[in-house]
Structure formats: structure tokens, C-alpha cells
């Protein structure tokens, strides 16, 4: 019996993570390519399809039969229609990426949302494994979440569910890129943490550096870190009240702070819980391959669908 | 072919709404009984089972075959196990109500959560009909929501999802019964609206009366109503960011204010939307039979499950 693989791509604003993934989630081969978003959406689409075809060739050379293909993109994604509705940082607007990919490879394909497929991967194969109710929270340039129940992520009516970064935790607070005041991501995204520290200290720093400075006793960094943790705990309290997950998996750049984030966050959330059940708060463990693995799982799901 | 019906009960803190419901959701017969919660949980369980048996007898007398039974209760409900985990106002603690009901009637039975079955009924047969993504929000003594996707409501990992009344919209605000400060229901539940008006005016009033006074030009009532609408809009904005529903169905006592609530609320929500898609904001239309109809639908679902 021929062994099989899925062609998987996770397309971001600057780079594409690409892989051949086995049906059990093991990654057989990875590649990285620049997205080249400045070339315009048509060129990006061509690159996606060319890279996918290249991966299919690699699979064949390795004796693997390609059974499906999956691609994940950021922004507003209609998974049912297979259309990238709006992805600001790759310039997509109503691109039928699923059908384009299926046509190029002659295989069933799936299109997913980057955070939702990451959530699917973490829920099924990563830190959420074994639970039917997982909330995956990606904290990077922005903050977004995927509510994964029984291994499937909820997209919402318009592909816009899970925007945890845009719940208002500080009414009248900092202006968010979305236009609102006091959105969670104006305080607690990795970018916001670095920016807030730079503003009060005069020294540029990444979020990871702020965490390090705080641990080393820098009082300004400790203040910024504490505010970050408090804002995240406010956001997670709201998520717990609405979604009631069993496990909350934290991913993205900020989660790389590890225990320096998770320990105080767990305590801050616990202080806020009243009737709520306490979720298990854990760090994502598939790293930056979660997107590719999730895109592959989504593609495999299309094969099983009736 | 014999016509069929489902025995359905919606058990509240003071009364039980009971019905025979046809498979298409039409209500064939209704009854009301006092819950008598002061008699203790065992007596309440006996009453539920006796009333259910009585309804089955009524069905038989009317030439209807009872194919299933459904019961809805408030509190924390484990639908999968069929157990009422914790219902403060009926005194239930880990009551296996589904199996008790099935054993008494000799028919398949289902146990549901009062707000979630109300949401299922409104989504499938009421104001949310035709949409796959419905958020049902019940505003009465408290505020709770049901997120209904494809006709099914999400219970969460511990049966505690949808607690929209306990998201913090006024940090540092009024103390909530749950222990937190500034929960949505401390401002915008029907009870909170009446209480807030009574406090500042010295005149007792129900929420409906406050809405009436506000419409008639009473400035104190107008202030209370405006704050209510603003707080609800803050809560619905968060729900939109996380669930991305297509339709938001408002039910419960406060929704009886009709356009006096919906019109300003729609405008207040619209002012807050940034990237979000605007949901259709409508009033529930099954009235207080929604719970019975939903309990019946849940029971019918068990017949179809594989």
C-alpha cells in the first residue's frame, strides 16, 4: 500500500511555511518561501500554486501519494466556500484559493484561517489533545482565538469569529487599529508590550525582552508585564464565561515567555473566577508548524466528509 | 399512520411550563404547574415525572403517540450525561433527570438547559429561522445567551457556556451576585433596570415601566434606559467579536419593551462596530413556549442521532 501525504501551506504576510504532512500529523518535509506580498495578489497566488506543485513533486520523488492539499491564510476566510474574503497583509480580496489549488494539483483541497487551523492542530495533536473543548489563543502582532469543539473550529457566520484581541478590556483606553478604544490587543499583544515598554523607558524592546527585564528586576518592565497579564486575564475571563473551554492553549510570540507568562496569568485568572470552572492554561507545543499541520488536517477532513 | 407528539417540560424556579409538541414544533396542548421548589428537590422530581406521565396520558387520549420526552432546567446542565448538575432555584444537584424521565415514560428522553433549548427553538423555528449562526440572548432576572450553530447549542466543557450576563462591561462597577464587579447583568438585566430606577427615583418600577416612563419623557427613566442600552451594546459587541453570529435574537422580559429597546440598541451597537459584520438584531417570537418547544426538539434529535 502506498504511503500518503498532504501538501500544506501556511501563508503569512512575509513568509509561507510549507510542508508535506502525513495523515497522522507527522511532518515529512518542510520548506519556507517569501510571500512577496508587495508583488500584488496575483503574483502571490501564482507562488502558492507553484510551491504546492513543487511539494507534490517532492512527495512523488519520496514515494508518497498526495491525497489532498490545504492552505491557510490570515484575515477573513470563508472555509465553506473556500474563498479568502479579505486578507489585508497578503492583499487577497475574494480569492477562490481552494478551487485554484484543487485544480492545479488535481486533488481535493481545503482553505482555512491561519489561527483556526493552528487551533485545530493544537486541539487534536498538540497541547489540547484529549479535550473536546479547546480555546487556542495566538498572541503575536495581534491577538486572535479559535474555539475548537470536537476537533473543529467555529468560523462564525462571516468567517470573523474568535476576535479575542478586539474585546474591550479597558473602556476609554488606547486607540486600536480597528478604531475602537481599549481593545485587548492594544495592551497585551506582543507588539503592544514592546511598544509600551519602549514608550515609558525610552529603550526599544521586544515582548520577550520586556519579560526578561521584568524577571531581572527592572521596575518599568515589571509594570508593563503586570498590566499585560491583568489585561489578558480580563480577556480570558470573558472567553471562559462565553465559551467555557476545558483547556486554553496559548501560542504566538508572547507565549514564548513560557512560565513568566503562564504562572502569573493563571493566578490572575483564578482571582477573577467566580461561578466559572477553571480551564487548564497551557502553552502551545506544535510551534510554528501548527498552521501547516492544521491546514493538512482540514484537507484530510474533506476526504472523510460525506 | 398514527400522529406523534413529544412530552415537553420547562422547569423554572416558580413554575413549570408543560406541553405536548408536534414534531414540526406546533404546540398541541399546554399546562402550567407550580414547581414548589420549597418542598425540596425530591418532591420537584416527583412532580416533574407525574406531570410528564399525565401529559403522556393526555396524548394517548387525543390519539397521539408519544415518541420522546424533553425537559429543560436552569443552572448548570450536562446535556450529554443527561444530568442537572446544579440548579440553585430548583434545588437540583447532580440529578439524572433524563434517565428518570425515560424510565417513567418508557420513551427516549433528553435533558436541556433552559436558555439553550430556548435558543434552539428560536433558531430553528422562531426569529432566527433560516440562519445557521444565531445568538439567543435572554434578558430577565439575569442575562444568559445560547450560541446556536446549525440548530445546535454549545454547552461548553462544563455546561456553563453562554454566560453573557457575567462579562465585565463596567470594570469596578456594581457588585454582581456572582462576586465580580461590573458584570453586564448588574446594569442591564430586567431586575437591574427596575432596581436602578427605584434607587434614583424612590419609586418602585419594573423594567417595562422604566421603558414606558422613559418614552413618556421622565428624565431619570431615560437615563437608566440609556445606560441599559449602552451596557447591552457593549456586551453584544464582545459577543459579535467572539461568536460572529448572523442574527441576534433578544428574548426574556426586557425584550418585551420591543422597539423601545431594539431601535436604540441597534444604533448603539452600530456605533461600536469596526471590522465586525453587523448582525440582524431581532426580538424573539416564540414567547414563553420557546423552552417547551426547544426541549421537544432536543428530544426529537435523540431519535435521529446514530
Amino acid at each position: 500500500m502506498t504511503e500518503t501525504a498532504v501538501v500544506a501551506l501556511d501563508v503569512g504576510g512575509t513568509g509561507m511555511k510549507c510542508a508535506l504532512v502525513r495523515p497522522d500529523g507527522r511532518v515529512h518535509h518542510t520548506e519556507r518561501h517569501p510571500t512577496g506580498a508587495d508583488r500584488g495578489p496575483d503574483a502571490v497566488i501564482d507562488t502558492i500554486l507553484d510551491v504546492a506543485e513543487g511539494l507534490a513533486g517532492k512527495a512523488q520523488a519520496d514515494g508518497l501519494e498526495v491525497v489532498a492539499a490545504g492552505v491557510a491564510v490570515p484575515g477573513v476566510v470563508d472555509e465553506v466556500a473556500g474563498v479568502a474574503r479579505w486578507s489585508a497583509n497578503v492583499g487577497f480580496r475574494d480569492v477562490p484559493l481552494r478551487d485554484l489549488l484543487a485544480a492545479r494539483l488535481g486533488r481535493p483541497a481545503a482553505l482555512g484561517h491561519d489561527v483556526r487551523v493552528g487551533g485545530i492542530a493544537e486541539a487534536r495533536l498538540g497541547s489540547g489533545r484529549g479535550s473536546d473543548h479547546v480555546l487556542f489563543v495566538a498572541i503575536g502582532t495581534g491577538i486572535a482565538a479559535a474555539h475548537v469543539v470536537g476537533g473543529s473550529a467555529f468560523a462564525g457566520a462571516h468567517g470573523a469569529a474568535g476576535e479575542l484581541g478586539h474585546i474591550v478590556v479597558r473602556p476609554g483606553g488606547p486607540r486600536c487599529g480597528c478604531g475602537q478604544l481599549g481593545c485587548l490587543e492594544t495592551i497585551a499583544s506582543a507588539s503592544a508590550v514592546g511598544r509600551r515598554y519602549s514608550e515609558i523607558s525610552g529603550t526599544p524592546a521586544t515582548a520577550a525582552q520586556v519579560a526578561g527585564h521584568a524577571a531581572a528586576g527592572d521596575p518599568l518592565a515589571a509594570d508593563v508585564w503586570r498590566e499585560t497579564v491583568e489585561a489578558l486575564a480580563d480577556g480570558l475571563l470573558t472567553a471562559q464565561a462565553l465559551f467555557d473551554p476545558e483547556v486554553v492553549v496559548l501560542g504566538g510570540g508572547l507565549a514564548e515567555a513560557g512560565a513568566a507568562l503562564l504562572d502569573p496569568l493563571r493566578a490572575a485568572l483564578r482571582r477573577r473566577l467566580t461561578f466559572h470552572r477553571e480551564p487548564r492554561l497551557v502553552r502551545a507545543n506544535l510551534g510554528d508548524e501548527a498552521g501547516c499541520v492544521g491546514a493538512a488536517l482540514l484537507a484530510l477532513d474533506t476526504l472523510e466528509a460525506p
Side-chain angles (χ1 to χ4, degrees), chain A residues 27-256:
Chain A
V27 175
H28 170 76
H29 165 78
T30 62
E31 295 177 7
R32 302 231 167 182
H33 298 271
T35 301
D38 54 319
R39 301 170 303 149
D42 290 342
V44 174
I45 295 165
D46 284 345
T47 301
I48 289 171
L49 300 177
D50 290 345
V51 167
E53 198 169 357
L55 282 166
K58 162 76 179 157
Q60 195 172 20
D62 291 356
L64 294 170
E65 184 197 351
V66 170
V67 289
V71 58
V73 301
V76 178
V77 178
D78 184 337
E79 279 103 338
V80 176
V83 174
R85 292 282 171 218
W86 186 74
S87 301
N89 47 3
V90 279
F92 289 170
R93 180 101 213 175
D94 290 325
V95 176
L97 209 46
R98 179 189 64 197
D99 291 351
L100 292 171
L101 187 60
R104 175 68 76 95
L105 297 189
R107 293 284 180 279
L111 172 69
H113 176 266
D114 57 353
V115 175
R116 288 197 284 273
V117 298
I120 289 172
E122 286 290 345
R124 294 198 204 169
L125 302 171
S127 296
R129 192 169 183 158
S131 173
D132 268 347
H133 297 268
V134 176
L135 187 71
F136 173 65
V137 180
I139 312 174
T141 315
I143 298 178
H147 181 215
V148 185
V149 176
S152 293
F154 289 98
H158 318 96
E163 293 286 359
L164 187 67
H166 297 284
I167 66 170
V168 175
V169 294
R170 295 291 175 269
R175 175 74 64 181
C176 181
C178 84
Q180 262 288 355
L181 299 176
C183 289
L184 177 59
E185 68 179 46
T186 66
I187 310 284
S189 70
S191 336
V193 172
R195 187 185 64 240
R196 285 164 52 232
Y197 179 77
S198 305
E199 282 170 8
I200 58 168
S201 70
T203 314
T206 63
Q209 287 167 335
V210 174
H213 295 338
D218 172 346
L220 292 179
D223 278 351
V224 168
W225 197 246
R226 194 177 308 114
E227 283 167 29
T228 302
V229 166
E230 295 292 315
L232 282 173
D234 289 336
L236 292 184
L237 184 73
T238 292
Q240 195 64 29
L242 295 183
F243 295 128
D244 184 28
E246 183 181 7
V247 184
V248 174
V249 178
L250 296 185
L254 203 74
E256 288 168 21

